[in-house]
Amino acid sequence: MLDTVTTGPGALPFAVQLKALMDREGRYQPKLSGLRLIEQANDNGLRMTARLREFEVKDLHFLTRFFGFSSETFSLAANLLDRFISVMKIQPKHLSCVGLCCFYIAVKSTEEERNVPMANNLIRISQKRFTVSDMMRMEKIIMEKLYWKVKAPTALRFLRLFHGHIQEQLDADSKNILNLERLEAQLKACHCSFAFSKVKPSLLAMALLSLEAQEHHDPEHADEISLALLSLQKHLSIKDGDLVCMRELARKWLIEYTTTKCSKPHGQRPRWIISGRTARQLKHSYYKIAHLPTIPESVF
């Protein structure tokens, strides 16, 4: 089983890495029926909704930036959250605990051990109103419901693999057109939209590459990049209609994302400035807050 995507000298062949990801892609997808129920739910404060999920993912994005964690951590946290809420009926009051637990699981799976924060510090910094015992109990529920399958083939992993494969086919001048940093920023933005939770990671990654090639069109190198993308599309057996629809969905969302006040993937790292009074309250908050009520383990 491949846990990382590698390119360059010494890396496994592209076909081997791709097969390993594709073989696991379906098993690490959110349950579509559960996502549809969330999408159809009324925003009455009693049911989990797409809007609440989007707010939670944006919070996880801020935490990722605050701690300086990797894009892989954020993508995995979003995947874990979507998979869990698609199989469990959770109440809005438990969402912050679920989200932070998914984030913590992702951090422990992708970051170096010395960079993993203590659970109580993570709660204080994120200013959540639950305890470490609440968090540990929720983490156990999440892991059990996801069958302890954590290291998912995320869209980020597909994106990096596809990008590296295409770059190997281009000359030096063409390689600068498909900018990986910009592509990863766009993917983070897509994670913040519930609409992309239902999309296969491989299709989303392919759509972003196709969109990037269109947006940064270079007539001199267009044919070379188009051929490389077409070859990859055929290798993945992605239909033209599916790719066009997903590319346009991504285009519209990215335009909306950049023209609103929601978080920007590569903006300045946030600084949370608080008063001395608030700081004193946070310092001892773990000992003052009440436990969450019992979390029902009802499923869709």
Side-chain angles (χ1 to χ4, degrees), residues 38 43 45 47-64 74 78 81-82 85 92 95-100 103 126 128 188-195 197 253 256-257 260-263 272:
I38 292 173
D43 195 1
R47 294 283 304 275
M48 180 67 194
T49 65
R51 177 170 165 271
L52 290 174
R53 178 268 179 200
E54 291 177 348
F55 283 151
E56 186 61 30
V57 172
K58 289 171 186 176
D59 283 347
L60 299 186
H61 179 252
F62 272 119
L63 276 177
T64 303
F74 174 62
L81 177 63
D82 285 337
I85 65 175
L95 180 58
S96 62
C97 186
V98 171
L100 196 63
F103 180 74
S126 60
K128 304 299 184 182
K188 291 176 187 176
C190 289
H191 283 321
C192 294
S193 171
F194 182 79
S197 299
W253 167 245
E256 179 182 347
Y257 187 85
T260 60
K261 294 182 179 180
C262 55
S263 56
W272 295 351

Side-chain angles (χ1 to χ4, degrees), residues 148-164:
W148 302 87
K149 296 178 180 179
V150 174
K151 294 189 176 181
T154 61
L156 178 65
R157 297 179 67 185
F158 278 104
L159 181 64
R160 288 176 174 174
L161 179 63
F162 294 168
H163 180 268

Side-chain angles (χ1 to χ4, degrees), residues 186 210-217 251:
Q186 292 170 352
S210 178
L211 178 60
E212 179 75 355
Q214 279 194 352
E215 295 292 322
H216 299 273
H217 182 69
R251 188 199 307 275

Side-chain angles (χ1 to χ4, degrees), residues 49 60 80 108 231 245:
T49 65
L60 299 186
L80 293 171
K108 290 186 288 186
S231 175
C245 288

